[in-house]
Amino acid sequence: MGIKTVKFGGSSLANAEQIAKAAAIIRSDPDRRYVVASAPGKRSAADVKVTDLLYQLYGRRDGDYAYTLASIRQRFTRIASDLDVEIDLDPHFATIEKHLLTIADPDYIASRGEYLNCVLLAAYLGWPLIDSADVIRFADSGEFLVDETDVLLGTALHKVERAVIPGFYGATAQGQIKTFPRGGSDVTGALVARAAMAEVYENWTDVSGILIADPRVVDDPLPIREISYTALRELTYLGASVLHENAIIPVRSRGIPINIRNTDCPEDPGTWIHTEASTDSHGPAIVGVAAKIGYTAITVRKAQWSGSLGVGPSLFRLFQDLGVVVDLAVTGVDSWTVVIRSEMITHLMEVFMDKIRTLRPDAVEVRDGLALVGVIASGTLPRTTVTVRLAQALDDARIDVFADTYVGDLRIFTIDTDRHDDAIRAIYAALVD
Ligand code: ADP
Ligand code: ASP
Ligand code: MG
């Protein structure tokens, strides 16, 4: 019998009804021994996630915070009474309020959604709680410490048959709470699966797996049955937001597969993510399509640059010195184009321009408002056929492509931001439907 680590996202734990569904899934398989849980998410499209309420609470700490604190408290009181869990929440909220008024510590406040939800879930299941502050380790600088965490978590899990572990946060050796980026409970789930040497990391959410396209853009897209870690990282990096991009590395290094499942449809097989995905020769021509907005392209031109060894390295060194990450680079004959996240470069543009002048370019062109649309070919059709169909689909939709880059099965189109949803729909319709 292997160990299964299961993570439930905020939408799967938004109220008592959802928590009861999650608990039924957990209890239906004795191998589901370690449970990582998020804070309560949205109960409806118009609702607010508890984590967002907690950030609001922190923002109002010098003024009228009472209403926000009361509404957070109300969410947990309601869950506890609907689940029939007898827990006195008063001391927990007294601690939160005291902390709010005495220490400026947004990470601590934000982490309380996961912590309190896990206190309730552990009581409901009758399982012990392992506080992530004791087992997920960060340096004082905020840097996550992977090796220390693996040892601490492994030791703590070894001592208990079953446990509930809050997602999203950890702490320094002195006990100061630090959070992962938003959506970080996926990362905690992966760390627990890795430390437990689990046979699978089940990630339970509100969709039946990773879908070929974002369901908010394409109606009822088909699920991806199987995908490799590499292809999924590319897809999540480019905007398929179902699983946090940093949740892949910890399990991949130990060969633990990830299974994305739907809490509302537990019988659906969901998506399997592992080292090699087999190709379904009758399946769609693409594995997935996703988009990310907020990019700027910079083109530097200079006649006779081709063949000059120093140009590329100088340009990249310049970005490196500025701390700017280049997402995409395209080399022309006498030009270099780089695509960068706008938030990284906008405030550094003047410095960049000053420095680039030292290379004496003929022209420097900047284009903002771009999106990257990533498509992964599945291998069922020859790559050139896929390329032609994609180009045709974008042309039919009158979408202008600023740059297209192809490496292996991954194609990235740089287009105008306001057309990124249209591009996804056009690509889905032409290559999947
Ligand atoms: P959780 O609360 O379980 O962590 P998230 O909201 O983080 O869930 O992720 C699930 C959501 O991701 C889905 O409800 C869906 O709206 C969104 N999403 C975006 N792209 C995709 C995709 N390609 N496949 C599935 N879901 C996607
Ligand atoms: N609750 C946190 C967030 O909303 C972490 C998570 O759900 O994964 O980002
Ligand atoms: Mg999530």
Side-chain angles (χ1 to χ4, degrees):
M1 267 205 326
I3 296 172
K4 292 178 179 163
T5 291
V6 292
K7 177 259 172 180
F8 287 87
S11 51
S12 303
L13 303 167
N15 56 24
E17 193 192 341
Q18 290 304 101
I19 293 179
K21 278 186 204 165
I25 291 166
I26 295 163
R27 288 194 183 112
S28 69
D29 184 345
D31 290 347
R32 294 191 173 122
R33 287 174 41 190
Y34 300 122
V35 176
V36 173
S38 286
K42 292 182 181 192
R43 292 161 295 185
S44 65
D47 199 13
V48 184
K49 291 180 177 185
V50 164
T51 308
D52 289 309
L53 289 175
L54 287 161
Y55 281 118
Q56 284 172 22
L57 175 72
Y58 180 76
R60 293 177 183 148
R61 68 193 183 284
D62 293 327
D64 193 4
Y65 66 82
Y67 178 78
T68 315
L69 186 62
S71 59
I72 297 166
R73 187 192 184 109
Q74 159 76 11
R75 292 226 26 197
F76 286 109
T77 315
R78 175 89 190 267
I79 291 173
S81 71
D82 288 353
L83 287 177
D84 234 347
V85 168
E86 280 203 21
I87 279 194
D88 184 4
L89 289 170
D90 285 353
H92 290 291
F93 277 92
T95 310
I96 292 173
E97 190 168 6
K98 188 169 162 215
H99 210 103
L100 183 71
L101 296 176
T102 50
I103 308 165
D105 186 0
D107 284 15
Y108 169 84
I109 297 297
S111 73
R112 295 304 86 185
E114 272 59 24
Y115 175 73
L116 289 176
N117 219 19
C118 285
V119 167
L120 295 180
L121 179 62
Y124 184 63
L125 290 168
W127 289 18
L129 174 91
I130 296 178
D131 189 348
S132 306
D134 301 327
V135 287
I136 306 276
R137 186 62 76 233
F138 285 83
D140 291 336
S141 62
E143 184 199 351
F144 171 63
L145 299 174
V146 72
D147 295 330
E148 281 89 332
T149 298
D150 202 36
V151 173
L152 285 169
L153 250 180
T155 313
L157 296 175
H158 210 72
K159 290 185 190 146
V160 286
E161 184 65 17
R162 302 175 185 286
V164 175
I165 304 119
F168 189 40
Y169 73 91
T172 64
Q174 283 70 41
Q176 190 185 352
I177 300 283
K178 301 273 182 195
T179 57
F180 289 117
R182 296 300 302 268
S185 297
D186 288 334
V187 181
T188 314
L191 295 171
V192 171
R194 176 188 147 103
M197 308 273 192
E199 66 166 26
V200 59
Y201 168 25
E202 290 181 349
N203 188 294
W204 292 81
T205 180
D206 62 348
V207 278
S208 287
I210 300 172
L211 309 168
I212 293 179
D214 188 331
R216 292 164 295 189
V217 179
V218 171
D219 282 338
D220 211 11
L222 289 175
I224 302 173
R225 291 266 157 262
E226 266 187 73
I227 185 170
S228 67
Y229 297 117
T230 312
L232 181 68
R233 237 183 96 73
E234 287 166 348
L235 216 52
T236 35
Y237 184 74
L238 288 162
S241 58
V242 62
L243 185 78
H244 196 285
E245 57 175 309
N246 294 341
I248 297 164
I249 295 157
V251 283
R252 175 192 196 148
S253 61
R254 295 218 173 128
I256 301 168
I258 310 172
N259 184 202
I260 311 277
R261 300 280 287 270
N262 189 343
T263 307
D264 291 311
C265 303
E267 55 300 324
D268 285 353
T271 300
W272 280 92
I273 304 151
H274 33 213
T275 314
E276 286 292 330
S278 51
T279 309
D280 170 5
S281 54
H282 302 292
I286 61 168
V287 177
V289 50
K292 217 166 161 183
I293 59 172
Y295 285 91
T296 297
I298 301 176
T299 302
V300 183
R301 298 183 194 278
K302 188 174 165 92
Q304 313 287 309
W305 254 8
S306 51
S308 149
L309 273 177
V311 176
S314 325
L315 202 59
F316 279 98
R317 209 168 307 119
L318 205 164
F319 285 118
Q320 197 181 4
D321 291 348
L322 292 172
V324 169
V325 178
V326 173
D327 276 63
L328 210 65
V330 189
T331 321
V333 175
D334 281 334
S335 72
W336 287 75
T337 298
V338 290
V339 183
I340 296 165
R341 285 215 311 283
S342 307
E343 61 179 21
M344 281 220 146
I345 189 74
T346 309
H347 62 289
L348 294 171
M349 203 50 104
E350 268 181 42
V351 188
F352 170 75
M353 287 298 186
D354 280 349
K355 298 210 178 223
I356 195 81
R357 273 185 207 115
T358 60
L359 294 177
R360 307 199 169 281
D362 296 336
V364 181
E365 292 149 25
V366 178
R367 183 159 160 174
D368 288 317
L370 294 171
L372 298 184
V373 177
V375 186
I376 297 173
S378 66
T380 59
L381 289 178
R383 282 178 183 159
T384 32
T385 311
V386 176
T387 305
V388 170
R389 290 206 190 164
L390 286 169
Q392 191 66 55
L394 294 173
D395 189 44
D396 289 348
R398 303 263 178 277
I399 293 168
D400 184 33
V401 176
F402 173 74
D404 41 6
T405 20
Y406 297 53
V407 182
D409 285 328
L410 175 68
R411 280 131 176 78
I412 300 175
F413 297 96
T414 308
I415 63 166
D416 282 329
T417 289
D418 57 0
R419 301 303 309 277
H420 74 282
D421 281 352
D422 295 334
I424 289 180
R425 281 189 280 267
I427 289 168
Y428 188 90
L431 285 116
V432 184
D433 267 350

